[in-house]
Amino acid sequence: MENIALREAPVALGDLERSVMDLLWDRPGAHTANDVRDALAGDLAVTTVLTVLSRLEKKGLVRRDGGRRPHRYAAASTREDHTVGLLNEVLGAVPDREAVLARFIGGIGPDEAAAVRRLLES
């Protein structure tokens, strides 16, 4: 299994940030703020979407292609990489990682347990 090194600690996301990131993760490629606004449910102003995209860019989660107008935005990494970073951050903050892992593994279903076994054996 590949060990992923992250440059900075991953960040938790607010509800709108999560919605934007889910959209960018689910739709590969670069998108304008208008594209993002149109794809999100609700009545958001494009300025609100631009603010969220700017914040996500500062957090290192979004890349902006500023070479043309309108700017286009894309996820800087995968959803899986972000999630692994969050898990590593949480595990790094607890004194007994083994206890946390044991509780986590004790709470997963048979299919996930089989997947963990396969991954550990590979």
Side-chain angles (χ1 to χ4, degrees), residues 28-106:
H31 305 278
T32 66
N34 281 322
D35 294 338
V36 173
R37 181 204 57 205
D38 292 346
L40 293 173
D43 190 24
L44 294 171
V46 73
T47 54
T48 301
V49 174
L50 283 165
T51 298
V52 171
L53 288 166
S54 176
R55 288 181 183 160
L56 291 168
E57 182 182 14
K58 287 177 185 169
K59 292 178 179 184
L61 296 170
V62 168
R63 287 185 337 273
R64 177 175 56 121
D65 175 7
R68 62 182 177 172
R69 296 246 181 210
H71 298 309
R72 297 185 179 277
Y73 300 85
S77 65
T78 65
R79 176 186 284 120
E80 293 77 14
D81 286 343
H82 178 71
T83 303
V84 166
L86 291 171
L87 291 170
N88 284 329
E89 182 180 4
V90 168
L91 286 173
V94 296
D96 190 352
R97 289 174 68 134
E98 188 173 333
V100 172
L101 288 170
R103 282 198 141 167
F104 174 74
I105 290 171

